[in-house]
Amino acid sequence: MITTEQVKELRDKTGVSIMQCKKALEDAGGDIEKALVLLKKKGAEIADKKGDRTLGAGVVQAYIHTSGTIGAMVELLCETDFVAKNEEFKALAYDIAMQVAATKPEFLQMSDITDEAKEKAREVFMKEVEGKPEEMKAQILEGKMNAYFKDMVLLQQTFIKDDSLTVEGKISNAIQKFGEKVVVGKFARFAIVG
């Protein structure tokens, strides 16, 4: 028997609808941790299905650190003005702008990493895999490259307000919650270097 307290707890953790929370809890036999995994999986599936939709709305949100010396702007896109005007959507854009200000990402997604940046990193890591078995070199090199670039790619970064999610995971949750495609369009970070 799923209790309303369990549903409320899961809803508070995820922000998705009560019906989705109840269904996930039923499918997980009342186990909240399993329900969280089910909702994440479902969120990724929903994001994939909405991937080809047209983005016709969104917000530009800024974050300025209290020192006034660091700031960031983020363009967060969605399909409709209805979602773009939603306070939770605007808060997500603000949180992503805060993420950009705090973590200094260089790229939005892995596919944005330049060939030049990849080659420079590969040269460094090739020296580190010397002497390793040939059949393992490529796998070790790929692991080192992914780990190196993870913190430079906004969508791959651990979300600063919830270390159980990446920024991409946070956006997938938003897609599930709002029922629309949500994408970071552009971002910029500004800092006074003294």
Side-chain angles (χ1 to χ4, degrees):
M1 179 76 179
I2 306 302
T3 66
T4 55
E5 288 78 24
Q6 288 173 302
V7 174
K8 183 181 181 331
E9 181 181 346
L10 188 58
R11 179 169 166 72
D12 290 345
K13 285 183 176 186
T14 63
V16 299
S17 75
I18 291 170
M19 293 307 292
Q20 287 180 22
C21 289
K22 185 175 183 217
K23 171 107 174 74
L25 280 165
E26 287 169 354
D27 292 348
D31 185 323
I32 288 187
E33 294 306 314
K34 284 182 184 174
L36 282 168
V37 171
L38 290 171
L39 285 173
K40 280 184 184 179
K41 183 176 181 267
K42 184 170 176 84
E45 290 169 3
I46 291 170
D48 285 345
K49 287 179 185 173
K50 296 181 185 301
D52 59 351
R53 289 191 178 177
T54 303
L55 299 166
V59 295
V60 173
Q61 192 62 263
Y63 168 82
I64 308 297
H65 189 64
T66 55
S67 67
T69 58
I70 299 170
M73 292 181 77
V74 169
E75 175 188 62
L76 189 63
L77 304 170
C78 59
E79 296 174 45
T80 65
D81 279 343
F82 179 76
V83 169
K85 292 177 181 175
N86 183 298
E87 289 305 316
E88 289 181 60
F89 183 80
K90 292 176 185 177
L92 174 62
Y94 179 83
D95 287 347
I96 295 171
M98 184 189 307
Q99 175 93 22
V100 169
T103 62
K104 302 184 219 173
E106 294 179 36
F107 309 101
L108 174 60
Q109 53 198 357
M110 290 297 248
S111 61
D112 294 340
I113 300 170
T114 63
D115 290 339
E116 182 182 348
K118 288 178 188 174
E119 193 52 45
K120 285 181 181 177
R122 187 174 285 111
E123 286 173 17
V124 170
F125 295 126
M126 282 300 283
K127 292 176 184 165
E128 292 183 19
V129 297
E130 284 177 11
K132 304 283 184 201
E134 280 302 318
E135 64 275 6
M136 295 183 71
K137 276 186 181 179
Q139 188 177 358
I140 294 169
L141 183 62
E142 183 180 341
K144 287 182 174 287
M145 297 277 287
N146 287 340
Y148 174 71
F149 284 115
K150 181 181 183 277
D151 290 335
M152 294 181 191
V153 177
L154 177 63
L155 295 179
Q156 299 302 310
Q157 291 178 345
T158 301
F159 188 57
I160 59 174
K161 287 190 155 187
D162 181 351
D163 62 8
S164 71
L165 291 172
T166 61
V167 173
E168 188 171 39
K170 185 69 174 169
I171 291 170
S172 287
N173 287 353
I175 292 168
Q176 186 173 8
K177 181 175 192 164
F178 297 122
E180 288 191 10
K181 181 178 177 183
V182 176
V183 173
V184 175
K186 294 180 256 181
F187 67 88
R189 183 181 186 273
F190 307 90
I192 302 298
V193 182

mmCIF file with all atom_site columns, all heavy atoms in Angstrom, residues 36-58:
data_model
loop_
_atom_site.group_PDB
_atom_site.id
_atom_site.type_symbol
_atom_site.label_atom_id
_atom_site.label_alt_id
_atom_site.label_comp_id
_atom_site.label_asym_id
_atom_site.label_entity_id
_atom_site.label_seq_id
_atom_site.pdbx_PDB_ins_code
_atom_site.Cartn_x
_atom_site.Cartn_y
_atom_site.Cartn_z
_atom_site.occupancy
_atom_site.B_iso_or_equiv
_atom_site.pdbx_formal_charge
_atom_site.auth_seq_id
_atom_site.auth_comp_id
_atom_site.auth_asym_id
_atom_site.auth_atom_id
_atom_site.pdbx_PDB_model_num
ATOM 1   N N   . LEU A 1 36 ? 12.868 6.537  -7.538  1.00 0.00 ? 36 LEU A N   1
ATOM 2   C CA  . LEU A 1 36 ? 13.703 7.613  -8.085  1.00 0.00 ? 36 LEU A CA  1
ATOM 3   C C   . LEU A 1 36 ? 14.408 7.151  -9.355  1.00 0.00 ? 36 LEU A C   1
ATOM 4   O O   . LEU A 1 36 ? 14.465 7.876  -10.348 1.00 0.00 ? 36 LEU A O   1
ATOM 5   C CB  . LEU A 1 36 ? 14.742 8.079  -7.056  1.00 0.00 ? 36 LEU A CB  1
ATOM 6   C CG  . LEU A 1 36 ? 14.235 9.008  -5.962  1.00 0.00 ? 36 LEU A CG  1
ATOM 7   C CD1 . LEU A 1 36 ? 15.272 9.155  -4.857  1.00 0.00 ? 36 LEU A CD1 1
ATOM 8   C CD2 . LEU A 1 36 ? 13.892 10.371 -6.543  1.00 0.00 ? 36 LEU A CD2 1
ATOM 9   N N   . VAL A 1 37 ? 14.943 5.933  -9.330  1.00 0.00 ? 37 VAL A N   1
ATOM 10  C CA  . VAL A 1 37 ? 15.620 5.372  -10.504 1.00 0.00 ? 37 VAL A CA  1
ATOM 11  C C   . VAL A 1 37 ? 14.626 5.237  -11.658 1.00 0.00 ? 37 VAL A C   1
ATOM 12  O O   . VAL A 1 37 ? 14.932 5.600  -12.808 1.00 0.00 ? 37 VAL A O   1
ATOM 13  C CB  . VAL A 1 37 ? 16.276 4.011  -10.166 1.00 0.00 ? 37 VAL A CB  1
ATOM 14  C CG1 . VAL A 1 37 ? 16.773 3.321  -11.423 1.00 0.00 ? 37 VAL A CG1 1
ATOM 15  C CG2 . VAL A 1 37 ? 17.401 4.195  -9.162  1.00 0.00 ? 37 VAL A CG2 1
ATOM 16  N N   . LEU A 1 38 ? 13.427 4.736  -11.371 1.00 0.00 ? 38 LEU A N   1
ATOM 17  C CA  . LEU A 1 38 ? 12.403 4.586  -12.412 1.00 0.00 ? 38 LEU A CA  1
ATOM 18  C C   . LEU A 1 38 ? 12.030 5.938  -13.027 1.00 0.00 ? 38 LEU A C   1
ATOM 19  O O   . LEU A 1 38 ? 11.877 6.051  -14.247 1.00 0.00 ? 38 LEU A O   1
ATOM 20  C CB  . LEU A 1 38 ? 11.158 3.897  -11.846 1.00 0.00 ? 38 LEU A CB  1
ATOM 21  C CG  . LEU A 1 38 ? 11.304 2.417  -11.493 1.00 0.00 ? 38 LEU A CG  1
ATOM 22  C CD1 . LEU A 1 38 ? 10.070 1.913  -10.746 1.00 0.00 ? 38 LEU A CD1 1
ATOM 23  C CD2 . LEU A 1 38 ? 11.535 1.587  -12.755 1.00 0.00 ? 38 LEU A CD2 1
ATOM 24  N N   . LEU A 1 39 ? 11.893 6.963  -12.174 1.00 0.00 ? 39 LEU A N   1
ATOM 25  C CA  . LEU A 1 39 ? 11.538 8.288  -12.683 1.00 0.00 ? 39 LEU A CA  1
ATOM 26  C C   . LEU A 1 39 ? 12.673 8.876  -13.525 1.00 0.00 ? 39 LEU A C   1
ATOM 27  O O   . LEU A 1 39 ? 12.415 9.518  -14.543 1.00 0.00 ? 39 LEU A O   1
ATOM 28  C CB  . LEU A 1 39 ? 11.176 9.234  -11.528 1.00 0.00 ? 39 LEU A CB  1
ATOM 29  C CG  . LEU A 1 39 ? 9.809  8.981  -10.898 1.00 0.00 ? 39 LEU A CG  1
ATOM 30  C CD1 . LEU A 1 39 ? 9.621  9.854  -9.662  1.00 0.00 ? 39 LEU A CD1 1
ATOM 31  C CD2 . LEU A 1 39 ? 8.686  9.229  -11.901 1.00 0.00 ? 39 LEU A CD2 1
ATOM 32  N N   . LYS A 1 40 ? 13.929 8.652  -13.123 1.00 0.00 ? 40 LYS A N   1
ATOM 33  C CA  . LYS A 1 40 ? 15.059 9.135  -13.928 1.00 0.00 ? 40 LYS A CA  1
ATOM 34  C C   . LYS A 1 40 ? 15.066 8.456  -15.286 1.00 0.00 ? 40 LYS A C   1
ATOM 35  O O   . LYS A 1 40 ? 15.282 9.099  -16.316 1.00 0.00 ? 40 LYS A O   1
ATOM 36  C CB  . LYS A 1 40 ? 16.385 8.859  -13.211 1.00 0.00 ? 40 LYS A CB  1
ATOM 37  C CG  . LYS A 1 40 ? 16.717 9.858  -12.140 1.00 0.00 ? 40 LYS A CG  1
ATOM 38  C CD  . LYS A 1 40 ? 18.079 9.575  -11.535 1.00 0.00 ? 40 LYS A CD  1
ATOM 39  C CE  . LYS A 1 40 ? 18.359 10.523 -10.399 1.00 0.00 ? 40 LYS A CE  1
ATOM 40  N NZ  . LYS A 1 40 ? 19.651 10.288 -9.772  1.00 0.00 ? 40 LYS A NZ  1
ATOM 41  N N   . LYS A 1 41 ? 14.837 7.149  -15.295 1.00 0.00 ? 41 LYS A N   1
ATOM 42  C CA  . LYS A 1 41 ? 14.812 6.390  -16.544 1.00 0.00 ? 41 LYS A CA  1
ATOM 43  C C   . LYS A 1 41 ? 13.684 6.894  -17.442 1.00 0.00 ? 41 LYS A C   1
ATOM 44  O O   . LYS A 1 41 ? 13.871 7.137  -18.622 1.00 0.00 ? 41 LYS A O   1
ATOM 45  C CB  . LYS A 1 41 ? 14.627 4.901  -16.239 1.00 0.00 ? 41 LYS A CB  1
ATOM 46  C CG  . LYS A 1 41 ? 14.660 4.012  -17.443 1.00 0.00 ? 41 LYS A CG  1
ATOM 47  C CD  . LYS A 1 41 ? 14.572 2.541  -17.025 1.00 0.00 ? 41 LYS A CD  1
ATOM 48  C CE  . LYS A 1 41 ? 14.626 1.630  -18.217 1.00 0.00 ? 41 LYS A CE  1
ATOM 49  N NZ  . LYS A 1 41 ? 13.358 1.265  -18.751 1.00 0.00 ? 41 LYS A NZ  1
ATOM 50  N N   . LYS A 1 42 ? 12.513 7.087  -16.855 1.00 0.00 ? 42 LYS A N   1
ATOM 51  C CA  . LYS A 1 42 ? 11.364 7.582  -17.619 1.00 0.00 ? 42 LYS A CA  1
ATOM 52  C C   . LYS A 1 42 ? 11.640 8.994  -18.138 1.00 0.00 ? 42 LYS A C   1
ATOM 53  O O   . LYS A 1 42 ? 11.292 9.314  -19.273 1.00 0.00 ? 42 LYS A O   1
ATOM 54  C CB  . LYS A 1 42 ? 10.103 7.564  -16.752 1.00 0.00 ? 42 LYS A CB  1
ATOM 55  C CG  . LYS A 1 42 ? 8.859  7.969  -17.523 1.00 0.00 ? 42 LYS A CG  1
ATOM 56  C CD  . LYS A 1 42 ? 7.612  7.715  -16.703 1.00 0.00 ? 42 LYS A CD  1
ATOM 57  C CE  . LYS A 1 42 ? 6.370  8.202  -17.400 1.00 0.00 ? 42 LYS A CE  1
ATOM 58  N NZ  . LYS A 1 42 ? 5.809  7.288  -18.347 1.00 0.00 ? 42 LYS A NZ  1
ATOM 59  N N   . GLY A 1 43 ? 12.292 9.820  -17.318 1.00 0.00 ? 43 GLY A N   1
ATOM 60  C CA  . GLY A 1 43 ? 12.635 11.180 -17.737 1.00 0.00 ? 43 GLY A CA  1
ATOM 61  C C   . GLY A 1 43 ? 13.543 11.183 -18.951 1.00 0.00 ? 43 GLY A C   1
ATOM 62  O O   . GLY A 1 43 ? 13.366 11.975 -19.878 1.00 0.00 ? 43 GLY A O   1
ATOM 63  N N   . ALA A 1 44 ? 14.526 10.278 -18.972 1.00 0.00 ? 44 ALA A N   1
ATOM 64  C CA  . ALA A 1 44 ? 15.431 10.177 -20.119 1.00 0.00 ? 44 ALA A CA  1
ATOM 65  C C   . ALA A 1 44 ? 14.672 9.732  -21.361 1.00 0.00 ? 44 ALA A C   1
ATOM 66  O O   . ALA A 1 44 ? 14.914 10.248 -22.466 1.00 0.00 ? 44 ALA A O   1
ATOM 67  C CB  . ALA A 1 44 ? 16.562 9.205  -19.802 1.00 0.00 ? 44 ALA A CB  1
ATOM 68  N N   . GLU A 1 45 ? 13.738 8.797  -21.203 1.00 0.00 ? 45 GLU A N   1
ATOM 69  C CA  . GLU A 1 45 ? 12.935 8.331  -22.341 1.00 0.00 ? 45 GLU A CA  1
ATOM 70  C C   . GLU A 1 45 ? 12.069 9.462  -22.891 1.00 0.00 ? 45 GLU A C   1
ATOM 71  O O   . GLU A 1 45 ? 11.961 9.636  -24.107 1.00 0.00 ? 45 GLU A O   1
ATOM 72  C CB  . GLU A 1 45 ? 12.054 7.157  -21.924 1.00 0.00 ? 45 GLU A CB  1
ATOM 73  C CG  . GLU A 1 45 ? 12.823 5.879  -21.644 1.00 0.00 ? 45 GLU A CG  1
ATOM 74  C CD  . GLU A 1 45 ? 11.982 4.797  -20.971 1.00 0.00 ? 45 GLU A CD  1
ATOM 75  O OE1 . GLU A 1 45 ? 10.763 5.009  -20.760 1.00 0.00 ? 45 GLU A OE1 1
ATOM 76  O OE2 . GLU A 1 45 ? 12.559 3.746  -20.652 1.00 0.00 ? 45 GLU A OE2 1
ATOM 77  N N   . ILE A 1 46 ? 11.465 10.234 -21.986 1.00 0.00 ? 46 ILE A N   1
ATOM 78  C CA  . ILE A 1 46 ? 10.622 11.358 -22.408 1.00 0.00 ? 46 ILE A CA  1
ATOM 79  C C   . ILE A 1 46 ? 11.461 12.394 -23.134 1.00 0.00 ? 46 ILE A C   1
ATOM 80  O O   . ILE A 1 46 ? 11.062 12.935 -24.166 1.00 0.00 ? 46 ILE A O   1
ATOM 81  C CB  . ILE A 1 46 ? 9.886  11.976 -21.192 1.00 0.00 ? 46 ILE A CB  1
ATOM 82  C CG1 . ILE A 1 46 ? 8.831  10.998 -20.669 1.00 0.00 ? 46 ILE A CG1 1
ATOM 83  C CG2 . ILE A 1 46 ? 9.259  13.315 -21.545 1.00 0.00 ? 46 ILE A CG2 1
ATOM 84  C CD1 . ILE A 1 46 ? 8.221  11.386 -19.340 1.00 0.00 ? 46 ILE A CD1 1
ATOM 85  N N   . ALA A 1 47 ? 12.663 12.683 -22.611 1.00 0.00 ? 47 ALA A N   1
ATOM 86  C CA  . ALA A 1 47 ? 13.555 13.663 -23.245 1.00 0.00 ? 47 ALA A CA  1
ATOM 87  C C   . ALA A 1 47 ? 13.914 13.222 -24.660 1.00 0.00 ? 47 ALA A C   1
ATOM 88  O O   . ALA A 1 47 ? 13.925 14.033 -25.587 1.00 0.00 ? 47 ALA A O   1
ATOM 89  C CB  . ALA A 1 47 ? 14.808 13.850 -22.409 1.00 0.00 ? 47 ALA A CB  1
ATOM 90  N N   . ASP A 1 48 ? 14.196 11.927 -24.842 1.00 0.00 ? 48 ASP A N   1
ATOM 91  C CA  . ASP A 1 48 ? 14.516 11.412 -26.173 1.00 0.00 ? 48 ASP A CA  1
ATOM 92  C C   . ASP A 1 48 ? 13.346 11.593 -27.135 1.00 0.00 ? 48 ASP A C   1
ATOM 93  O O   . ASP A 1 48 ? 13.535 11.979 -28.286 1.00 0.00 ? 48 ASP A O   1
ATOM 94  C CB  . ASP A 1 48 ? 14.890 9.927  -26.109 1.00 0.00 ? 48 ASP A CB  1
ATOM 95  C CG  . ASP A 1 48 ? 16.278 9.699  -25.544 1.00 0.00 ? 48 ASP A CG  1
ATOM 96  O OD1 . ASP A 1 48 ? 17.060 10.675 -25.457 1.00 0.00 ? 48 ASP A OD1 1
ATOM 97  O OD2 . ASP A 1 48 ? 16.577 8.546  -25.175 1.00 0.00 ? 48 ASP A OD2 1
ATOM 98  N N   . LYS A 1 49 ? 12.125 11.332 -26.674 1.00 0.00 ? 49 LYS A N   1
ATOM 99  C CA  . LYS A 1 49 ? 10.945 11.455 -27.527 1.00 0.00 ? 49 LYS A CA  1
ATOM 100 C C   . LYS A 1 49 ? 10.683 12.904 -27.934 1.00 0.00 ? 49 LYS A C   1
ATOM 101 O O   . LYS A 1 49 ? 10.161 13.170 -29.007 1.00 0.00 ? 49 LYS A O   1
ATOM 102 C CB  . LYS A 1 49 ? 9.703  10.906 -26.810 1.00 0.00 ? 49 LYS A CB  1
ATOM 103 C CG  . LYS A 1 49 ? 9.680  9.398  -26.717 1.00 0.00 ? 49 LYS A CG  1
ATOM 104 C CD  . LYS A 1 49 ? 8.449  8.927  -25.988 1.00 0.00 ? 49 LYS A CD  1
ATOM 105 C CE  . LYS A 1 49 ? 8.468  7.427  -25.764 1.00 0.00 ? 49 LYS A CE  1
ATOM 106 N NZ  . LYS A 1 49 ? 7.375  6.964  -24.929 1.00 0.00 ? 49 LYS A NZ  1
ATOM 107 N N   . LYS A 1 50 ? 11.029 13.845 -27.059 1.00 0.00 ? 50 LYS A N   1
ATOM 108 C CA  . LYS A 1 50 ? 10.748 15.253 -27.333 1.00 0.00 ? 50 LYS A CA  1
ATOM 109 C C   . LYS A 1 50 ? 11.910 15.946 -28.038 1.00 0.00 ? 50 LYS A C   1
ATOM 110 O O   . LYS A 1 50 ? 11.872 17.132 -28.310 1.00 0.00 ? 50 LYS A O   1
ATOM 111 C CB  . LYS A 1 50 ? 10.422 15.981 -26.028 1.00 0.00 ? 50 LYS A CB  1
ATOM 112 C CG  . LYS A 1 50 ? 9.139  15.446 -25.391 1.00 0.00 ? 50 LYS A CG  1
ATOM 113 C CD  . LYS A 1 50 ? 8.794  16.181 -24.125 1.00 0.00 ? 50 LYS A CD  1
ATOM 114 C CE  . LYS A 1 50 ? 7.603  15.588 -23.422 1.00 0.00 ? 50 LYS A CE  1
ATOM 115 N NZ  . LYS A 1 50 ? 6.385  15.546 -24.171 1.00 0.00 ? 50 LYS A NZ  1
ATOM 116 N N   . GLY A 1 51 ? 12.962 15.187 -28.349 1.00 0.00 ? 51 GLY A N   1
ATOM 117 C CA  . GLY A 1 51 ? 14.190 15.747 -28.902 1.00 0.00 ? 51 GLY A CA  1
ATOM 118 C C   . GLY A 1 51 ? 14.051 16.490 -30.215 1.00 0.00 ? 51 GLY A C   1
ATOM 119 O O   . GLY A 1 51 ? 14.824 17.391 -30.498 1.00 0.00 ? 51 GLY A O   1
ATOM 120 N N   . ASP A 1 52 ? 13.057 16.155 -31.029 1.00 0.00 ? 52 ASP A N   1
ATOM 121 C CA  . ASP A 1 52 ? 12.946 16.800 -32.340 1.00 0.00 ? 52 ASP A CA  1
ATOM 122 C C   . ASP A 1 52 ? 11.892 17.902 -32.379 1.00 0.00 ? 52 ASP A C   1
ATOM 123 O O   . ASP A 1 52 ? 11.581 18.432 -33.436 1.00 0.00 ? 52 ASP A O   1
ATOM 124 C CB  . ASP A 1 52 ? 12.667 15.748 -33.424 1.00 0.00 ? 52 ASP A CB  1
ATOM 125 C CG  . ASP A 1 52 ? 11.391 14.971 -33.171 1.00 0.00 ? 52 ASP A CG  1
ATOM 126 O OD1 . ASP A 1 52 ? 10.798 15.110 -32.085 1.00 0.00 ? 52 ASP A OD1 1
ATOM 127 O OD2 . ASP A 1 52 ? 10.986 14.209 -34.073 1.00 0.00 ? 52 ASP A OD2 1
ATOM 128 N N   . ARG A 1 53 ? 11.363 18.259 -31.240 1.00 0.00 ? 53 ARG A N   1
ATOM 129 C CA  . ARG A 1 53 ? 10.353 19.326 -31.212 1.00 0.00 ? 53 ARG A CA  1
ATOM 130 C C   . ARG A 1 53 ? 10.987 20.697 -31.415 1.00 0.00 ? 53 ARG A C   1
ATOM 131 O O   . ARG A 1 53 ? 12.151 20.918 -31.110 1.00 0.00 ? 53 ARG A O   1
ATOM 132 C CB  . ARG A 1 53 ? 9.609  19.305 -29.877 1.00 0.00 ? 53 ARG A CB  1
ATOM 133 C CG  . ARG A 1 53 ? 8.691  18.115 -29.733 1.00 0.00 ? 53 ARG A CG  1
ATOM 134 C CD  . ARG A 1 53 ? 7.810  18.312 -28.540 1.00 0.00 ? 53 ARG A CD  1
ATOM 135 N NE  . ARG A 1 53 ? 6.863  17.238 -28.363 1.00 0.00 ? 53 ARG A NE  1
ATOM 136 C CZ  . ARG A 1 53 ? 6.035  17.175 -27.353 1.00 0.00 ? 53 ARG A CZ  1
ATOM 137 N NH1 . ARG A 1 53 ? 6.032  18.108 -26.423 1.00 0.00 ? 53 ARG A NH1 1
ATOM 138 N NH2 . ARG A 1 53 ? 5.188  16.180 -27.251 1.00 0.00 ? 53 ARG A NH2 1
ATOM 139 N N   . THR A 1 54 ? 10.194 21.644 -31.880 1.00 0.00 ? 54 THR A N   1
ATOM 140 C CA  . THR A 1 54 ? 10.654 23.000 -32.152 1.00 0.00 ? 54 THR A CA  1
ATOM 141 C C   . THR A 1 54 ? 10.642 23.841 -30.875 1.00 0.00 ? 54 THR A C   1
ATOM 142 O O   . THR A 1 54 ? 9.692  23.803 -30.095 1.00 0.00 ? 54 THR A O   1
ATOM 143 C CB  . THR A 1 54 ? 9.732  23.670 -33.197 1.00 0.00 ? 54 THR A CB  1
ATOM 144 O OG1 . THR A 1 54 ? 9.718  22.851 -34.358 1.00 0.00 ? 54 THR A OG1 1
ATOM 145 C CG2 . THR A 1 54 ? 10.217 25.052 -33.550 1.00 0.00 ? 54 THR A CG2 1
ATOM 146 N N   . LEU A 1 55 ? 11.721 24.585 -30.695 1.00 0.00 ? 55 LEU A N   1
ATOM 147 C CA  . LEU A 1 55 ? 11.831 25.475 -29.540 1.00 0.00 ? 55 LEU A CA  1
ATOM 148 C C   . LEU A 1 55 ? 11.409 26.877 -29.972 1.00 0.00 ? 55 LEU A C   1
ATOM 149 O O   . LEU A 1 55 ? 12.069 27.491 -30.796 1.00 0.00 ? 55 LEU A O   1
ATOM 150 C CB  . LEU A 1 55 ? 13.280 25.488 -29.024 1.00 0.00 ? 55 LEU A CB  1
ATOM 151 C CG  . LEU A 1 55 ? 13.787 24.128 -28.564 1.00 0.00 ? 55 LEU A CG  1
ATOM 152 C CD1 . LEU A 1 55 ? 15.289 24.149 -28.401 1.00 0.00 ? 55 LEU A CD1 1
ATOM 153 C CD2 . LEU A 1 55 ? 13.109 23.734 -27.273 1.00 0.00 ? 55 LEU A CD2 1
ATOM 154 N N   . GLY A 1 56 ? 10.302 27.362 -29.414 1.00 0.00 ? 56 GLY A N   1
ATOM 155 C CA  . GLY A 1 56 ? 9.797  28.665 -29.817 1.00 0.00 ? 56 GLY A CA  1
ATOM 156 C C   . GLY A 1 56 ? 9.749  29.686 -28.701 1.00 0.00 ? 56 GLY A C   1
ATOM 157 O O   . GLY A 1 56 ? 9.275  30.788 -28.896 1.00 0.00 ? 56 GLY A O   1
ATOM 158 N N   . ALA A 1 57 ? 10.244 29.319 -27.513 1.00 0.00 ? 57 ALA A N   1
ATOM 159 C CA  . ALA A 1 57 ? 10.176 30.231 -26.374 1.00 0.00 ? 57 ALA A CA  1
ATOM 160 C C   . ALA A 1 57 ? 11.361 29.963 -25.455 1.00 0.00 ? 57 ALA A C   1
ATOM 161 O O   . ALA A 1 57 ? 12.170 29.072 -25.708 1.00 0.00 ? 57 ALA A O   1
ATOM 162 C CB  . ALA A 1 57 ? 8.855  30.035 -25.625 1.00 0.00 ? 57 ALA A CB  1
ATOM 163 N N   . GLY A 1 58 ? 11.424 30.724 -24.383 1.00 0.00 ? 58 GLY A N   1
ATOM 164 C CA  . GLY A 1 58 ? 12.495 30.529 -23.415 1.00 0.00 ? 58 GLY A CA  1
ATOM 165 C C   . GLY A 1 58 ? 12.744 31.787 -22.610 1.00 0.00 ? 58 GLY A C   1
ATOM 166 O O   . GLY A 1 58 ? 11.975 32.750 -22.681 1.00 0.00 ? 58 GLY A O   1
#
